[in-house]
Amino acid sequence: GAVVSQHPSRVICKSGTSVKIECRSLDFQATTMFWYRQFPKQSLMLMATSNEGSKATYEQGVEKDKFLINHASLTLSTLTVTSAHPEDSSFYICSARGDLSYNSPLHFGNGTRLTVT
Amino acid sequence: GIQVEQSPPDLILQEGANSTLRCNFSDSVNNLQWFHQNPWGQLINLFYIPSGTKQNGRLSATTVATERYSLLYISSSQTTDSGVYFCAGRGGGSEKLVFGKGTKLTVNP
């Protein structure tokens, strides 16, 4: 149980275009999802916390107009990288909590490797 | 939020050796997880261990919450154990899971 599916796994796009990444909880409802970013050989950095039915909370330094997050249902959150530039190339990973308990593990998707040319 | 420090940053072992990875955190945690990131970037959830000890095959983990650290033990290491090991904690009144910088493990045949 507690499977998080992320799609696509890889995407290559041209500068100036937008890319949407989907994160789905397959067998549970996730009121809260988290989006992380990982540069090569570095750790995972939290970008934003996504709550179903409300606006996402962004970490300091993350541009909310560039990284649009929508959490329209209890099983789906999307991250849209708008007007992508080469510096947005990175590995993006989503995660979700499997139950409403605050003290429960996070389950992670397999990540999306974005390359902007 | 809390800060998470991992040590050592790099570790090279011969196949069959044992190892201990450490994770220190700056505040009390109510969630601590250990992950193994494979070469394709997938995060494999190893343990959810806010306190106590757990074992899964050749891997085990211990968290001493009162002293704010956790240890991951790998016994009889195999080349397939290579990769980056992350610990991540949540606490200090925040719901955010904060990652350490990871330990890169290389197991040579």
Side-chain angles (χ1 to χ4, degrees):
Chain A
V3 176
V4 176
S5 173
Q6 191 172 338
H7 179 80
S9 58
R10 273 181 188 275
V11 58
I12 301 173
C13 70
K14 293 186 177 180
S15 272
T17 61
S18 296
V19 173
K20 181 184 284 188
I21 303 169
E22 292 188 349
C23 180
R24 294 180 184 272
S25 55
L26 295 187
D27 50 0
F28 64 98
Q29 294 184 328
T31 54
T32 305
M33 290 185 173
F34 303 88
W35 288 94
Y36 289 82
R37 181 175 184 176
Q38 185 181 31
F39 289 107
K41 301 187 188 301
Q42 295 189 23
S43 186
L44 282 77
M45 299 300 295
L46 181 65
M47 298 175 65
T49 302
S50 165
N51 292 296
E52 186 266 336
S54 64
K55 291 184 178 180
T57 303
Y58 291 81
E59 295 300 300
Q60 191 173 6
V62 178
E63 300 175 59
K64 60 181 69 176
D65 293 331
K66 167 164 268 306
F67 300 102
L68 299 179
I69 292 173
N70 183 279
H71 193 158
S73 78
L74 286 172
T75 59
L76 174 64
S77 177
T78 60
L79 167 67
T80 301
V81 183
T82 63
S83 186
H85 290 285
E87 57 264 31
D88 298 324
S89 298
S90 189
F91 191 60
Y92 295 87
I93 310 178
C94 69
S95 68
R97 195 155 59 227
D99 59 49
L100 294 177
S101 170
Y102 184 75
N103 300 332
S104 59
L106 289 190
H107 304 280
F108 284 77
N110 286 337
T112 297
R113 195 166 302 280
L114 170 64
T115 303
V116 184
T117 61
Chain B
I2 66 168
Q3 296 183 17
V4 179
E5 292 186 2
Q6 288 187 246
S7 60
D10 293 278
L11 185 59
I12 300 174
L13 301 173
Q14 286 300 120
E15 202 166 24
N18 302 328
S19 63
T20 301
L21 282 59
R22 187 178 179 104
C23 176
N24 292 329
F25 28 97
S26 61
D27 202 343
S28 58
V29 293
N30 49 50
N31 177 345
L32 188 93
Q33 293 180 245
W34 282 97
F35 299 92
H36 176 211
Q37 189 170 39
N38 66 23
W40 297 273
Q42 294 174 332
L43 277 179
I44 310 302
N45 191 12
L46 299 177
F47 294 103
Y48 168 67
I49 187 165
S51 63
T53 297
K54 291 185 178 180
Q55 181 160 3
N56 184 1
R58 296 181 295 104
L59 273 61
S60 64
T62 295
T63 297
V64 184
T66 53
E67 297 187 20
R68 300 180 183 176
Y69 73 87
S70 184
L71 302 174
L72 177 69
Y73 305 97
I74 304 174
S75 64
S76 303
S77 58
Q78 301 175 358
T79 55
T80 52
D81 294 332
S82 296
V84 182
Y85 290 80
F86 289 104
C87 73
R90 181 175 63 210
S94 171
E95 68 169 339
K96 304 171 189 176
L97 191 67
V98 177
F99 281 75
K101 293 186 176 181
T103 292
K104 183 180 178 183
L105 174 65
T106 303
V107 181
N108 293 320

